[in-house]
């Protein structure tokens, strides 16, 4: 009989799995214990074994695709067996919970609507005798436009709506500085319709449509919200009334902002017009305000720039692409000699020549780069990290306590221990053992927030953050307070190797009561870590730095390590966190206390 293979739940937090790789293909014989596929969960990529013997009749998921828990992924049965009935039943079973939720939501909506209908007649009957005439007037006014919008297909109207573009990431509205065309003018697709003043600069708006300018919304000096209608271009004589109805929601959303900004808009326009009027020789040259601004900043005379827009109008691109050729040598040198003849006679003749020759060299060549990027799909592990750490940071109120620890005796003790230890002991092993002992003395740190209760754990399970290519895994050293340094070191090395080879099992990453994150091997001076919920605390361990320290009134070289404890303020207070660090400090500064 054909057996439908479903997506298994491989961890307590798993909601879906991604088929990383299939090890079998349709038609292959499968034995119990064979690895069918590799499944990427929110914690690791794990082998998925078959518990049936037979032939792989069907594969329902491509590599790289995600499937919800209990969703069908394959069918195993006898060769040539019809599996469609079993597959349909399994698919229906997997989708049943979703449909039941939709039905429940529909019932809630129906109940809500029925209750509203029951309440509606009372409201109408009460309101009718009070104000009958205004009700008739208001109902007659909106009744006219509604049938028009319902019957007209706007896609058939030969016109295009031009909306206020978002010209910067912080822009909410734009002020029309100047219209370059008027209603009835013929415009081309590359024409600059208007100059728009944003919160950062005055920029040109291009319509990208060819036709007749049928409508202009905001006048010069008026503001329009982002996505609000500013113009309509289309075939001459087209009725554009239905298209203007689309602007009502945008105007309603920005009504409060536009009313407050209406008064400042006028002075801004007046100031701009005054500034344009006071321009020197190039005031009568047709140029956009932004082009004038750039030309003024660069010291470019607009008479020397050739405009590329209609009618020879100069736009931003023309000013930016303008390169003075031989002009600085002929015109500027003669101007300098005429304006300041006396320095030429009192100083050497080589100085004016040098100044003139240096002028063209000051014109820097422009460099145009290319913006490029790559995108990759978010892995299940990355999704889990994003979800869990976001929940922790934005739910648990974090506070941080930092302490410096003198590691001189720990350095000496490690050297002596490694001479006789069966495995090499690291400083991380010292920190882990010291934390385990300190947690027994400070049970509040070894706790977790449960909503209505605070759970204080009597056992000590310490999670150790391990970096892998895809993200971060946290294997757990269980009952760490009762294990020796050698045993702790061996387990940490074993878990680290499993993590990097994607062989960690879910039960090896569950149940931590406290977590350690160590970046000391990267030479980090100090950092803070995000709490690994439901733990109440996490310890960030930095590198050991050789710095001058004061001992017995003398400055001597020392080995100092900084640690930062991140605490959930719902469970732990500042004094409690500081007391824990004091105990940890005493353990590491006198390592012999770890043996007691």
């Amino acid at each position: 009989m054909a057996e439908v293979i479903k997506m298994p739940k491989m961890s307590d937090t798993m909601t879906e799995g991604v088929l990383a790789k299939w090890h079998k293909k349709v038609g292959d014989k499968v034995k119990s214990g064979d690895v069918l596929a590799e499944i990427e969960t929110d914690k690791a990529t794990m082998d998925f074994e078959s518990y049936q013997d037979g032939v792989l009749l069907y594969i329902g998921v491509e590599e790289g695709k995600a499937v919800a828990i209990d969703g069908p992924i394959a069918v195993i049965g006898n060769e040539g067996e019809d599996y469609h009935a079993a597959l349909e039943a399994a698919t229906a079973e997997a989708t049943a919970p979703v449909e039941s939720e939709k039905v429940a939501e529909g019932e809630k909506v129906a109940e809500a609507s029925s209750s509203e209908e029951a309440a509606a007649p009372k409201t109408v009957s009460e309101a009718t005798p009070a104000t009958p005439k205004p009700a008739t007037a208001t109902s007659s006014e909106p009744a006219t436009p509604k049938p028009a919008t319902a019957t007209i297909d706007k896609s058939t109207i030969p016109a295009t709506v031009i909306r206020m573009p978002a010209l910067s990431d912080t822009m909410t509205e734009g002020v029309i500085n100047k219209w370059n065309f008027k209603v009835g003018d013929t415009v081309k697709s590359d024409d600059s319709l208007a100059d728009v003043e944003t919160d950062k600069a005055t920029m040109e708006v291009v319509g990208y449509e060819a036709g007749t300018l049928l409508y202009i919304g905001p006048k010069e000096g008026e503001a329009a919200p982002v996505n609000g209608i500013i113009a309509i271009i289309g075939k001459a004589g087209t009725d554009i009334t239905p298209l203007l109805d689309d602007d009502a929601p945008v105007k309603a959303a920005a009504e409060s902002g536009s009313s407050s900004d209406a008064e400042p808009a006028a002075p801004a326009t007046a100031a701009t017009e005054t500034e344009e009027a006071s321009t020197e020789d190039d005031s009568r040259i047709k140029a956009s305000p932004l082009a004038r601004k750039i030309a003024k900043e660069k010291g470019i005379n607009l008479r020397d720039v050739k405009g590329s827009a209609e009618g020879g109008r100069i736009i931003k691109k023309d000013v930016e692409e303008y390169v003075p050729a031989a002009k600085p040598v002929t015109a500027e040198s003669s101007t300098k000699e005429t304006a300041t003849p006396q320095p030429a006679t009192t100083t050497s003749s080589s100085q004016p020549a040098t100044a003139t020759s240096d002028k063209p060299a000051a014109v820097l060549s422009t460099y145009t780069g290319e913006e490029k990027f790559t995108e990759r799909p978010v892995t299940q592990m990355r999704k889990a990290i994003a979800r869990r750490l976001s929940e922790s940071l934005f739910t648990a109120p974090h506070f941080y306590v930092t302490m410096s620890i003198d590691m001189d005796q720990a350095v000496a003790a490690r050297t002596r221990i490694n001479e006789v230890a069966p495995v090499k002991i690291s400083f991380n092993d010292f920190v882990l053992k010291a934390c385990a002992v300190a947690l027994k003395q400070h049970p509040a740190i070894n706790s977790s927030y449960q909503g209505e209760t605070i759970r204080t754990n009597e056992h000590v399970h310490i999670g150790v953050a391990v970096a892998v290519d895809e993200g971060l895994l946290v294997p757990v050293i269980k009952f760490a307070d009762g294990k020796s340094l050698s045993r702790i070191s061996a387990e940490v090395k074993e878990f680290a190797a499993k993590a990097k080879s994607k062989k960690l099992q879910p039960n090896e990453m569950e149940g931590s009561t406290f977590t350690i994150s160590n970046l000391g091997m990267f030479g980090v001076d100090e950092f803070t870590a995000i709490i690994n919920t439901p733990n109440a605390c996490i310890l960030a361990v930095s590198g050991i730095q050789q710095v001058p320290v004061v001992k017995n009134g003398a400055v001597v070289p020392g080995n100092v390590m900084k640690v930062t404890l991140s605490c959930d303020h719902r469970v732990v207070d500042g004094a409690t966190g500081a007391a824990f660090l004091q105990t940890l400090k005493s353990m590491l500064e006198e390592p012999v206390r770890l043996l007691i």
Side-chain angles (χ1 to χ4, degrees):
M1 180 179 177
E3 185 76 22
V4 177
I5 310 300
K6 299 180 180 180
M7 174 62 70
K9 186 172 183 178
M10 294 180 162
S11 74
D12 55 345
T13 57
M14 176 179 172
T15 57
E16 65 178 10
V18 173
L19 260 299
K21 183 179 180 182
W22 282 103
H23 287 275
K24 301 288 184 180
K25 61 182 183 293
V26 174
D28 286 355
K29 292 184 178 180
V30 180
K31 294 181 181 179
S32 178
D34 285 353
V35 177
L36 277 181
E38 293 179 13
I39 296 179
E40 180 188 338
T41 72
D42 57 342
K43 294 185 176 179
T45 301
M46 306 172 66
D47 292 337
F48 176 50
E49 298 179 358
S50 171
Y51 295 100
Q52 291 87 20
D53 295 335
V55 176
L56 186 58
L57 302 175
Y58 168 80
I59 288 178
V61 185
E62 299 177 4
E63 292 183 357
K65 300 292 185 181
V67 181
I69 297 297
D70 291 333
I73 59 174
V75 178
I76 295 177
N78 298 323
E79 188 172 358
E81 184 178 359
D82 184 10
Y83 59 86
H84 293 90
L87 181 60
E88 289 174 2
T91 305
E93 184 180 347
T95 55
V98 178
E99 292 179 357
S100 63
E101 289 179 6
K102 290 183 178 179
V103 171
E105 290 178 2
E107 290 176 354
K108 289 182 180 179
V109 173
E111 290 176 5
S113 61
S114 62
S115 61
E116 288 177 4
E117 289 173 0
K122 293 182 179 180
T123 308
V124 173
S125 61
E126 291 172 4
T128 305
T131 53
K133 288 185 179 180
T136 308
T138 52
S139 61
S140 62
E141 287 177 4
T144 307
K146 281 184 179 178
T149 55
T151 55
I152 296 178
D153 184 5
K154 297 176 185 177
S155 63
T156 61
I157 300 176
T160 301
V161 173
I162 309 300
R163 299 182 180 272
M164 175 64 72
L167 299 173
S168 74
D169 52 352
T170 57
M171 176 179 171
T172 57
E173 66 176 12
V175 175
I176 302 295
N177 194 298
K178 183 181 179 182
W179 282 106
N180 300 323
F181 295 90
K182 61 183 183 292
V183 174
D185 287 353
T186 301
V187 296
K188 294 184 290 186
S189 59
D190 59 346
D191 282 343
S192 173
L193 294 179
D195 297 331
V196 174
E197 181 182 335
T198 73
D199 55 344
K200 294 183 177 179
T202 300
M203 306 175 71
E204 297 172 342
V205 173
V206 179
Y208 300 107
E209 295 290 338
T212 302
L213 185 58
L214 304 174
Y215 170 80
I216 285 179
K219 300 176 182 178
E220 292 184 359
E222 293 182 352
V226 171
N227 290 329
I229 296 177
I230 60 173
I232 296 178
I233 297 175
K235 185 178 179 181
T238 302
D239 182 12
I240 60 171
T241 305
L243 298 177
L244 295 176
D245 295 339
D246 293 343
D247 204 29
V250 179
K251 286 185 177 179
E255 188 175 354
S256 59
S258 61
S259 61
S260 61
D261 292 343
E263 294 181 3
T269 311
T272 307
E273 292 175 356
T274 306
E275 187 176 334
E276 289 181 7
S278 61
T279 315
E280 296 177 355
D281 297 335
D282 53 9
S283 59
R284 296 185 179 181
I285 296 176
K286 297 171 73 174
S288 70
L290 187 57
R292 292 181 185 277
K293 181 181 177 183
I294 296 173
K296 185 176 180 181
E297 291 174 352
K298 292 187 175 183
I300 298 174
N301 190 340
L302 289 178
R303 290 185 176 276
D304 301 329
V305 182
K306 185 177 180 180
S308 60
E310 186 175 355
R313 187 168 176 271
I314 300 171
I315 58 177
K316 171 186 170 185
K317 179 183 70 172
D318 303 326
V319 179
E320 289 181 339
E321 294 179 354
Y322 171 71
V323 178
K327 184 171 179 180
V329 179
T330 57
E332 294 184 14
S333 60
S334 61
T335 305
K336 282 196 173 185
E337 289 174 4
T338 307
T340 56
Q342 291 181 353
T345 56
T346 56
T347 58
S348 61
S349 60
S350 61
Q351 285 184 346
T354 306
T356 307
S357 60
D358 288 346
K359 203 69 178 177
V363 179
L364 300 178
S365 60
T366 58
Y367 173 76
T368 303
E370 181 182 2
E371 294 183 354
K372 295 191 294 185
F373 62 88
T374 58
E375 291 183 348
R376 63 183 189 277
V378 180
T379 63
Q380 294 297 103
M381 184 183 298
R382 202 78 251 168
K383 289 179 183 178
I385 291 172
R387 184 183 70 254
R388 285 176 58 86
L389 294 188
S390 296
E391 289 174 357
S392 173
L393 188 61
F394 300 126
T395 303
H398 285 50
F399 75 90
Y400 311 96
V401 185
T402 302
M403 191 169 287
S404 297
I405 301 175
D406 183 358
M407 295 293 288
D408 283 348
Q409 291 195 39
V411 171
R414 176 175 176 266
T415 303
R416 291 194 299 269
I417 290 173
N418 280 336
E419 292 175 356
V420 295
V423 293
K424 187 177 179 181
I425 308 297
S426 67
F427 289 112
N428 189 67
D429 302 329
F430 271 90
V431 174
L432 197 153
K433 177 64 176 178
C435 285
V437 176
L439 286 171
K440 296 296 288 184
Q441 300 181 27
H442 301 274
I445 304 297
N446 199 40
S447 303
S448 60
Y449 185 77
Q450 301 292 322
E452 297 298 327
T453 60
I454 294 176
R455 177 181 296 171
T456 301
N457 300 294
E458 297 181 7
H459 57 279
V460 177
H461 293 349
I462 297 183
V464 182
V466 177
V468 294
D469 292 339
E470 295 84 0
L472 194 68
L473 295 175
V474 185
V476 180
I477 308 297
K478 297 184 178 179
F479 306 106
D481 57 311
K483 295 180 178 178
S484 65
L485 281 169
S486 298
R487 181 63 183 171
I488 289 173
S489 179
E491 288 192 19
V492 170
K493 288 179 174 62
E494 179 186 358
F495 285 148
K498 280 187 174 182
K500 294 185 183 299
S501 61
K502 302 180 181 180
K503 299 298 181 183
L504 269 178
Q505 297 302 309
N507 61 346
E508 295 172 331
M509 297 180 282
E510 296 172 354
S512 66
T513 61
F514 184 83
T515 307
I516 296 174
S517 179
N518 190 343
L519 294 179
M521 66 288 295
F522 298 105
V524 174
D525 293 336
E526 184 180 352
F527 74 102
T528 58
I530 300 174
I531 296 171
N532 180 30
T533 53
N535 299 169
C537 299
I538 184 172
L539 186 72
V541 182
S542 304
I544 299 175
Q545 308 292 332
Q546 290 187 335
V547 296
V549 296
V550 178
K551 291 184 177 180
N552 301 323
V555 178
V556 296
N559 296 286
V560 176
M561 179 181 73
K562 285 187 177 182
V563 295
T564 300
L565 185 69
S566 304
C567 305
D568 183 349
H569 219 323
R570 298 174 300 179
V571 182
V572 179
D573 295 323
T576 307
F580 171 79
L581 286 186
Q582 282 184 332
T583 303
L584 179 66
K585 177 183 174 76
S586 65
M587 295 280 183
L588 292 174
E589 290 186 346
E590 298 180 32
V592 69
R593 299 180 61 183
L594 297 175
L595 306 176
I596 300 175

